[in-house]
Amino acid sequence: MFSNSKCAEILSKYGLKGNVASCSAFGSGHINNTFLIDFTSDSGKNLKYVLQAVNSNVFKNIYEIMENIRNVTDFIKNKSVKSKFLDFLQTENGSTLYVDDSGIYWRIYRFIENSVTVDMPQTGNDLYQCAYAFGKFQRDLADFPAESLNEIIPDFHNTRKRYEAFLYAVEKDVCNRAGKVQTEIDFIKSRSDFYSLLDEKHRSGVLPLRVSHNDTKCNNVLLDCETRKAVCVIDLDTIMPGFSVNDFGDAVRFGTSTAAEDETDLSKVHFDFEKFKIYTRGFLDGCDGLLTDEEIMLLPEGAKMMTVECGMRFLTDYLEGDTYFKTEREEQNLDRCRTQLKLVSEMEKNWNKMKAYVSEFAEK
Ligand code: ADP
Ligand code: GN1
Ligand code: MG
């Protein structure tokens, strides 16, 4: 249980002395534990902060994450382009991290007032803004020295390696769950020829390595409550060299679905081609001419790759006993897997339309 007094103890390490009025679980991320803090300082100011316990099971070197975030945000700030970032507080030792007695890694940033994140964007504008923000992120970092970044999770979006890990989990079947998910296992196995495609394109010089966000769900973009414009890209833990088409693809995976990622009624889950069109426009507008024609032509492959990869990651975690993604109920990872596989099959049905739509941008 996380109490106001524990919260006050952490805040005091950052030089924040006062009263914690409330401290509540915040957001819907699957990895870190996030809290919104209402705080009144000793001088009487009401302030809001976001406090996070960074997941040390997923992230093995959290100092390296904070170093990446600092370098990338400083780089963009120095270019004086109009971009806002989370403002991490420092402890009295000058670190953005505080490690408590039980080994939990904490960090705090100021809550950006009048901002909101959406799990299921309701308007085309919200979709466009999220896509634009991630495209602009690629654009802003186009000349960042990618080799200087720490590789936070090696092979994070190496789908072939994810597939090997999945096969291993099926073989070990430590929770004795594989028997009931044979349909899903077969679905993933039957597409195995596809999983090396983007790496092959990279090796043959078609797909450049760029500085990527690597976790481009729309709830990783803050929107202004009133103007609904993108304010800031958040969740910068997985910034690493990667493929532009994967940043596009992960956003499409999450944002073009007509239902939640863990919807249990698959009849509600569809790939919405109109949303795909909005994402394509938003991302390419944000990239502002950065992507090559070959990259643009591979955007649908990025979407399908990120969706099938996410499906196999959820199923791997289900088979391994739900040790990676946070879950609130027993079969949540299986439900998440099933929505992803349904989206993949609908992308396949829309494939020619998707390819034709992006080709209009490549020819411009
Ligand atoms: P995770 O890795 O767990 O996804 P995030 O950094 O994305 O961690 O934070 C989890 C969620 O908390 C976000 O998806 C978002 O909904 C919410 N959140 C985090 N920071 C803010 C903020 N400054 N304003 C509004 N919502 C936020
Ligand atoms: C995780 O942290 P969050 O919830 O934004 C995961 C992503 C997955 C996503 C699936 C570090 O993202 O890779 O695509 O869940 N992040 C990490 O919803 O593994
Ligand atoms: Mg997140």
Side-chain angles (χ1 to χ4, degrees):
M1 192 55 204
F2 191 61
S3 63
N4 285 13
S5 62
K6 171 75 185 170
C7 178
E9 175 206 313
I10 299 165
L11 293 190
S12 73
K13 306 294 176 190
Y14 290 82
L16 297 172
K17 306 269 163 36
N19 178 50
V20 173
S22 72
C23 166
S24 44
F26 189 47
S28 47
H30 296 343
I31 302 296
N32 299 317
N33 284 327
T34 307
F35 303 90
L36 182 61
I37 315 291
D38 262 311
F39 178 76
T40 309
S41 69
D42 281 346
S43 59
K45 272 196 190 149
N46 290 325
L47 299 160
K48 274 189 182 173
Y49 292 97
V50 177
L51 172 66
Q52 280 188 320
V54 188
N55 187 326
S56 56
N57 177 41
V58 166
F59 300 116
K60 300 304 175 202
N61 191 334
I62 298 170
Y63 288 98
E64 290 190 353
I65 293 182
M66 299 315 292
E67 189 177 56
N68 278 358
I69 295 177
R70 194 189 62 237
N71 289 339
V72 160
T73 52
D74 283 355
F75 180 85
I76 297 181
K77 281 178 195 161
N78 285 338
K79 286 171 102 178
S80 31
V81 292
K82 225 173 130 244
S83 287
K84 201 174 172 89
F85 286 101
L86 299 179
D87 201 2
F88 288 95
L89 305 192
Q90 291 190 355
T91 65
E92 279 143 2
N93 304 329
S95 171
T96 48
L97 293 169
Y98 161 64
V99 189
D100 72 14
D101 293 343
S102 51
I104 297 177
Y105 287 73
W106 296 96
R107 68 185 173 197
I108 301 181
Y109 46 87
R110 285 185 193 88
F111 176 77
I112 300 182
E113 291 295 340
N114 296 317
S115 71
V116 67
T117 60
V118 282
D119 287 332
M120 282 281 293
Q122 296 306 321
T123 68
N125 176 67
D126 284 1
L127 293 175
Y128 179 90
Q129 287 296 322
C130 292
Y132 184 92
F134 287 123
K136 183 169 186 301
F137 188 80
Q138 289 264 336
R139 165 86 257 171
D140 289 347
L141 291 168
D143 52 346
F144 182 93
E147 64 291 346
S148 69
L149 285 170
N150 302 305
E151 197 176 2
I152 300 301
I153 301 180
D155 295 312
F156 188 60
H157 282 319
N158 183 330
T159 310
R160 171 60 50 183
K161 291 233 168 110
R162 294 283 186 186
Y163 180 59
E164 283 161 17
F166 160 76
L167 291 178
Y168 184 78
V170 173
E171 190 199 317
K172 292 285 164 213
D173 194 19
V174 288
C175 298
N176 210 14
R177 287 174 162 178
K180 69 173 288 197
V181 294
Q182 201 53 52
T183 310
E184 289 75 13
I185 293 172
D186 291 344
F187 184 101
I188 292 168
K189 283 187 175 173
S190 67
R191 284 151 180 82
S192 65
D193 286 351
F194 177 63
Y195 304 146
S196 305
L197 180 96
L198 297 178
D199 271 320
E200 283 162 15
K201 293 285 179 195
H202 171 60
R203 277 198 296 274
S204 65
V206 170
L207 202 53
L209 214 50
R210 300 189 184 279
V211 177
S212 304
H213 180 282
N214 290 307
D215 190 0
T216 52
K217 296 203 288 201
C218 52
N219 63 16
N220 287 329
V221 175
L222 298 186
L223 298 176
D224 185 286
C225 290
E226 277 122 47
T227 65
R228 298 307 279 200
K229 286 211 159 146
V231 177
C232 169
V233 167
I234 64 169
D235 202 348
L236 304 180
D237 297 333
T238 49
I239 297 174
M240 284 176 284
F243 303 140
S244 58
V245 301
N246 284 347
D247 267 10
F248 170 81
D250 202 29
V252 163
R253 169 192 82 72
F254 193 79
T256 61
S257 177
T258 53
E261 192 178 56
D262 61 352
E263 175 60 58
T264 52
D265 179 354
L266 285 184
S267 71
K268 293 185 181 159
V269 181
H270 299 289
F271 166 71
D272 184 333
F273 181 65
E274 291 307 310
K275 289 183 177 174
F276 175 81
K277 292 201 307 201
I278 298 172
Y279 261 99
T280 305
R281 279 196 286 108
F283 190 77
L284 290 177
D285 284 351
C287 283
D288 194 19
L290 173 72
L291 303 194
T292 64
D293 285 355
E294 287 95 342
E295 280 177 295
I296 295 174
M297 282 311 297
L298 285 168
L299 291 174
E301 279 80 354
K304 181 173 157 186
M305 192 71 79
M306 286 300 93
T307 313
V308 74
E309 181 191 282
C310 201
M312 74 175 84
R313 289 176 66 195
F314 285 140
L315 193 55
T316 304
D317 198 28
Y318 176 73
L319 293 169
E320 289 179 340
D322 307 310
T323 59
Y324 185 93
F325 296 104
K326 282 198 268 177
T327 50
E328 287 145 14
R329 54 189 161 79
E330 177 132 349
E331 304 224 311
Q332 196 169 10
N333 272 322
L334 177 56
D335 294 332
R336 288 169 176 157
C337 160
R338 287 181 169 148
T339 62
Q340 302 310 294
L341 302 190
K342 172 95 188 266
L343 292 171
V344 171
S345 63
E346 294 210 353
M347 285 179 193
E348 288 171 348
K349 288 186 192 120
N350 281 275
W351 197 247
N352 292 343
K353 274 160 68 182
M354 290 164 76
K355 292 295 276 189
Y357 188 69
V358 299
S359 74
E360 290 173 24
F361 294 85
E363 284 156 11
K364 268 183 191 165

